[in-house]
């Protein structure tokens, strides 16, 4: 952390096509480097063949008594490259962000694994070994392909694409854990890859690394560093999909755990950690210096008290996430928030993100001394960048200041003077100062249509429709809060149903709290009607008196119609309503405590779902209906839907009355 600079500003996010990160997007780019992966990652594909065996199957749907073609399902075969191999495990396959296969498949002795994707087709998954052979199906497509040794790829065979005639965006959750022969620590750290294993892989591999021999590595130092990182739980996972130099990649690795490059006496490469005193523990004072030390001390206004670290959270499908660490002591001194943002895309675990953010913030929350000293060559000894030393200089009131070397320079090998650039060391803060429990993984919400909560077929009185034909309202309470619409189906023959129409107008299903007598008042403006909402939709429309009188807030209870307004929450899901009874020229009736009713709030854009019998129905005639919920184009099983039946009472039939006979308000007079 001390050896790498960082911007204090959050960089503007790079544009993402369709909101998909580049490493997770499928592509046809022929010049794209094959990605290098380490740890557990989600990676997109590069198509390496033209599709072949393209075909389509018609989708036949029964509409009424006829079968009609309502679309086509498309199939094809193709091949796609994932990344450099060999991979060690496969966990998930996603098509357009929908998981079509999941499990834990680890690499064995075979070069590829045949997979069956249920409902989709077959797929051959090549691990990217050095022994894999060319795929016979791929070479039978009309174009000759090599074996793609050392590269993981897939061959899809007659794969269902769906109703869109193009291959969907494909991503694979895979894992790769390089394991150098000299590494004594395990390369798998919490499903991430050990950083030292990655360094060893990039050093030695001839295909994507330097191709250097391990003889050039200080394996003793590297293994000591690896042991510390294992104890700290430091593991990384990443996708490198652009050409880069070894020093640049090394710097990106080291900034995740505050490491630095070292060389032993034989010039062999190693990596050490900034964790406290390092080196020979030298002490310098006036007797070792050839001049007064050059000192520059920062002050409290130069410090920061909040660090926001952005990482890719594997528990959230590798989406960008962030944690923020606050240093309350520095904030109390400064009196305002001073923040710094850092990007760590190779960190995928929240607990490690907290750990790194805490160490980074604690170091930058304190003022620090930097400067240069000129030492006698004999005193400097083998001092090297990364080593620590203690500095005492009475004239500057320095006593045992722990410093870390940033640069050592000599005018010539024979020079009697060595110049050292240093900074006050805070490496002890890089220990595991804070290790919170990780948040519970957030399971992505999945939605599927639910069967309706309940329905009622209500035959309307004459005053509702103002015509003698029989009408009834379909009152439907949906089974969740996200269903988009409901389809109604009418029985036209025993157990045979025909689609009628759809609605987006839903009711609240309610229970009456307290009995209502038909001898009770016809109007109550004081909220005397208590209803408990039992359907998933819980919030009634806050209708005014005028809206209720205009039919915008209606309760159907038994065979009586109420106009209700002014809902007031009493407790839980219980509301008190004001009301007018016997609306639309129907009659008041007795209602028992616990009776079920339906509240509806129709409007011009949300009308009733009304069915007209088409004639004057006779008492005793009946119809049967089913209701089918739909969400995002997916419908519930009609066969599993409940049957709702209505039997006509011919209540809307209004014959001409004798002049000496009073007709009751319900419209139908049997005499």
């Amino acid at each position: 952390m001390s050896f790498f600079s960082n911007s204090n500003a959050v960089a503007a996010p790079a544009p993402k096509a369709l909101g998909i990160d580049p490493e997770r997007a499928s592509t046809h780019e022929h010049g794209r480097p094959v990605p290098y992966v380490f740890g557990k990652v989600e990676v997109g594909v590069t198509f390496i063949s033209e599709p072949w065996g393209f075909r389509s199957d018609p989708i036949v749907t029964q509409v009424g008594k006829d079968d009609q073609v309502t679309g086509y399902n498309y199939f094809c075969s193709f091949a796609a490259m994932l990344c450099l191999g060999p991979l060690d495990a496969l966990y998930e396959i996603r098509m357009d962000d929908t998981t079509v296969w999941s499990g834990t498949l680890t690499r064995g002795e075979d070069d590829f694994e045949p997979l069956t994707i249920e409902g989709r087709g077959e797929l051959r998954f090549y691990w990217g070994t050095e022994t894999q052979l060319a795929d016979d199906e791929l070479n039978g497509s009309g174009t000759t392909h090599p074996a793609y040794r050392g590269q993981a790829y897939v061959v899809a065979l007659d794969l269902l694409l769906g109703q869109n005639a193009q291959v969907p965006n494909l991503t694979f959750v895979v894992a790769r854990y390089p394991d150098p022969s000299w590494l004594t620590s395990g390369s798998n750290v919490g499903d991430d890859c050990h950083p030292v294993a990655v360094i060893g892989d990039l050093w030695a591999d001839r295909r994507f690394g330097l191709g250097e021999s391990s003889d050039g590595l200080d394996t003793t130092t590297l293994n000591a560093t690896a042991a510390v990182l294992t104890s700290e739980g430091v593991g990384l996972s990443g996708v490198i999909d652009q050409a880069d130099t070894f020093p640049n990649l090394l710097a990106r690795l080291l900034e995740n755990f505050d490491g630095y490059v070292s060389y032993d006496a034989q010039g062999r490469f190693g990596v050490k950690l900034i964790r406290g005193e390092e080196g020979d523990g030298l002490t310098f004072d006036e007797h070792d210096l050839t001049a007064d030390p050059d000192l520059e001390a920062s002050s409290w206004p130069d410090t920061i008290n909040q660090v926001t670290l952005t990482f890719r959270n594997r528990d959230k499908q590798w989406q960008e996430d962030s944690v923020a660490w606050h240093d309350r002591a520095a904030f109390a001194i400064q009196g305002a928030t001073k923040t710094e943002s850092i990007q760590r895309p190779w960190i995928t675990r929240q607990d490690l993100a907290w750990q790194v953010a805490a160490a980074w913030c604690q170091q930058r929350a304190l003022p620090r001394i930097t400067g240069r000293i000129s030492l006698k060559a004999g005193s400097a000894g083998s001092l090297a960048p990364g080593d620590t030393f203690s500095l005492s200089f009475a004239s500057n009131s320095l006593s045992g200041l722990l410093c870390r070397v940033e640069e050592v320079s000599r005018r010539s090998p024979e020079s009697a003077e060595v110049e050292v650039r240093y900074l006050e060391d805070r490496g002890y803060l890089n220990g595991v100062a804070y290790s919170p429990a990780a948040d519970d993984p957030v399971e992505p919400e999945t939605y599927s249509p639910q069967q309706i909560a309940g329905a009622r077929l209500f035959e309307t009185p004459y005053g509702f429709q103002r015509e003698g034909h029989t009408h009834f309202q379909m009152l439907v309470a949906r089974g969740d809060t996200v269903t988009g619409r409901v389809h109604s189906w009418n029985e036209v023959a025993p157990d045979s149903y025909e689609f009628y129409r759809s609605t987006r107008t839903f009711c609240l299903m309610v229970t009456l709290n307290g009995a209502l007598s038909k001898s009770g008042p016809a109007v109550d403006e004081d909220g005397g009607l208590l209803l408990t909402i039992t359907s998933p939709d819980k919030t009634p429309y806050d209708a005014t008196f005028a809206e209720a009188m205009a039919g915008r807030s209606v309760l159907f209870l038994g065979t009586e119609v109420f106009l209700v307004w002014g809902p007031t929450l009493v407790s839980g899901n219980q509301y008190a309503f004001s009301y007018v009874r016997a609306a639309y020229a129907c009659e008041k009736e007795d209602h028992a405590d616990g009776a079920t009713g339906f509240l509806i709030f129709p409007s011009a854009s949300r009308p009733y779902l009304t069915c007209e019998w088409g004639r004057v129905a006779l008492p005793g005639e009946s119809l049967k209906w089913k209701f089918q919920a739909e969400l995002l184009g997916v419908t519930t099983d009609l066969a599993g839907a409940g049957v709702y039946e209505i039997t006509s009472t011919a209540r809307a039939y209004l014959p001409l009355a004798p002049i000496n006979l009073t007709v009751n308000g319900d419209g139908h007079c049997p005499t």
Side-chain angles (χ1 to χ4, degrees), residues 23-290:
E23 62 267 27
R24 299 176 56 235
S26 303
T27 179
H28 289 85
E29 295 176 281
H30 292 285
R32 181 188 189 188
V34 180
Y36 171 84
V37 303
F38 54 92
K40 185 177 181 179
V41 296
E42 184 178 21
V43 62
V45 302
T46 301
F47 296 106
I48 56 176
S49 77
E50 295 295 330
W52 75 92
F54 192 89
R55 66 182 181 86
S56 61
D57 285 350
I59 301 173
V60 179
T61 305
Q62 183 175 357
V63 180
K65 297 182 179 180
D66 298 326
D67 292 338
Q68 294 185 7
V69 176
T70 57
Y72 291 88
N73 279 323
Y74 297 95
F75 301 78
C76 76
S77 301
F78 60 88
M81 183 70 64
L82 273 72
C83 57
L84 295 167
L87 295 176
D88 293 300
L90 169 67
Y91 296 100
E92 190 175 358
I93 302 174
R94 297 172 65 84
M95 293 184 177
D96 287 338
D97 283 338
T98 298
T99 299
V100 296
W101 183 92
S102 63
T104 301
L105 184 65
T106 56
R107 175 164 56 90
E109 295 181 357
D110 295 328
D111 294 323
F112 76 92
E113 292 287 344
L115 297 176
T116 298
I117 301 178
E118 187 175 355
R120 292 276 185 170
E122 304 295 323
L123 186 144
R124 293 180 178 178
F125 184 86
Y126 283 84
W127 295 104
T129 64
E130 296 296 337
T131 57
Q132 66 191 24
L133 303 176
D135 185 86
D136 53 350
E137 292 282 353
L138 179 57
N139 279 335
S141 66
T143 303
T144 302
H145 288 258
Y148 296 112
R149 291 190 175 96
Q151 301 171 75
Y153 73 103
V154 294
V155 178
L157 302 175
D158 199 35
L159 194 72
L160 171 63
L161 309 180
Q163 297 185 49
N164 192 355
Q166 63 182 31
V167 179
N169 187 63
L170 280 170
T171 58
F172 292 75
V173 177
V174 297
R176 182 174 176 274
Y177 304 107
D179 191 18
S181 59
W182 48 264
L183 184 63
T184 56
S185 299
S187 59
N188 186 329
V189 181
D191 282 345
D192 289 323
C193 187
H194 201 300
V196 175
V198 180
I199 293 172
D201 198 34
L202 294 174
W203 176 273
D205 196 276
R206 296 182 179 277
R207 177 175 281 109
F208 49 79
L210 297 177
E212 297 288 344
S213 167
S214 60
D215 294 341
L217 296 176
D218 179 3
T219 56
T220 300
T221 296
L222 287 170
N223 278 315
T225 295
V228 174
L229 293 178
T230 298
S231 68
E232 293 178 351
V234 177
L236 305 174
S237 294
V239 178
I240 301 173
D241 56 4
Q242 295 181 347
D244 209 340
T245 64
F246 179 79
N248 284 344
L249 295 176
L250 183 63
R252 292 181 63 187
L253 284 167
L254 297 181
E255 68 180 0
N256 291 281
F257 51 87
D258 212 358
Y260 65 95
V261 174
S262 68
Y263 294 92
D264 65 7
Q266 287 74 43
R268 292 177 298 190
F269 172 87
V271 169
K272 293 183 178 181
L273 301 173
I274 299 176
R275 296 294 187 275
E277 293 191 34
E278 184 70 39
D280 297 329
L282 298 174
T283 299
F284 302 133
D285 56 21
E286 292 88 346
H287 300 91
D288 303 293
L289 274 63
T290 60

Side-chain angles (χ1 to χ4, degrees), residues 578-643:
S578 299
Y579 62 86
V580 170
R581 298 187 63 174
Y584 301 109
C586 67
E587 291 184 330
K588 291 196 296 179
E589 63 181 13
D590 293 327
H591 302 284
D593 179 31
T596 298
F598 287 81
L599 264 174
I600 189 169
F601 313 106
S603 64
S605 59
R606 300 278 182 174
Y608 285 103
L609 179 58
T610 301
C611 179
E612 182 178 355
W613 219 288
R615 56 179 173 78
V616 177
L618 299 178
E621 289 192 67
S622 65
L623 290 176
K624 292 182 179 180
W625 294 79
K626 284 189 174 187
F627 299 99
Q628 182 182 43
E630 178 186 327
L631 174 63
L632 302 176
V634 180
T635 57
T636 54
D637 180 18
L638 186 62
V643 178

Side-chain angles (χ1 to χ4, degrees), residues 176-410:
R176 182 174 176 274
Y177 304 107
D179 191 18
S181 59
W182 48 264
L183 184 63
T184 56
S185 299
S187 59
N188 186 329
V189 181
D191 282 345
D192 289 323
C193 187
H194 201 300
V196 175
V198 180
I199 293 172
D201 198 34
L202 294 174
W203 176 273
D205 196 276
R206 296 182 179 277
R207 177 175 281 109
F208 49 79
L210 297 177
E212 297 288 344
S213 167
S214 60
D215 294 341
L217 296 176
D218 179 3
T219 56
T220 300
T221 296
L222 287 170
N223 278 315
T225 295
V228 174
L229 293 178
T230 298
S231 68
E232 293 178 351
V234 177
L236 305 174
S237 294
V239 178
I240 301 173
D241 56 4
Q242 295 181 347
D244 209 340
T245 64
F246 179 79
N248 284 344
L249 295 176
L250 183 63
R252 292 181 63 187
L253 284 167
L254 297 181
E255 68 180 0
N256 291 281
F257 51 87
D258 212 358
Y260 65 95
V261 174
S262 68
Y263 294 92
D264 65 7
Q266 287 74 43
R268 292 177 298 190
F269 172 87
V271 169
K272 293 183 178 181
L273 301 173
I274 299 176
R275 296 294 187 275
E277 293 191 34
E278 184 70 39
D280 297 329
L282 298 174
T283 299
F284 302 133
D285 56 21
E286 292 88 346
H287 300 91
D288 303 293
L289 274 63
T290 60
D292 290 353
D294 177 16
L295 302 175
E296 183 177 342
S298 62
S299 59
W300 285 107
D302 301 320
T303 63
I304 58 99
N305 53 55
Q306 176 180 307
V307 164
T308 300
L309 184 147
T310 302
F311 68 107
R312 291 197 180 278
N313 194 333
R314 88 157 72 122
D315 291 332
K316 297 180 180 179
Q317 298 293 334
W318 284 269
Q319 296 297 316
E320 280 193 358
D321 200 357
S322 64
V323 296
W325 179 268
H326 308 267
D327 192 292
R328 299 187 181 278
F331 176 81
I333 293 172
Q334 295 170 311
T337 300
K338 297 188 65 177
T339 187
E340 182 175 355
S341 298
I342 57 177
Q343 310 288 323
R344 296 293 180 265
W346 293 346
I347 292 178
T348 65
R349 303 192 324 267
Q350 189 182 54
D351 58 339
L352 181 58
W354 276 116
Q355 181 178 320
V356 173
W360 188 284
C361 187
Q362 289 176 96
Q363 292 196 54
R364 281 150 182 76
L366 295 171
R368 173 174 281 179
I369 295 174
T370 60
R372 293 177 178 272
I373 56 173
S374 296
L375 293 170
K376 298 174 183 177
S379 298
S382 59
L383 198 66
D387 290 346
T388 57
F389 63 88
S390 294
L391 178 62
S392 297
F393 202 82
S395 299
N396 295 93
S397 301
L398 295 179
S399 178
L401 178 69
L402 184 64
C403 302
R404 188 171 295 270
V405 177
E406 289 193 295
E407 181 183 15
V408 177
S409 58
R410 292 176 171 84

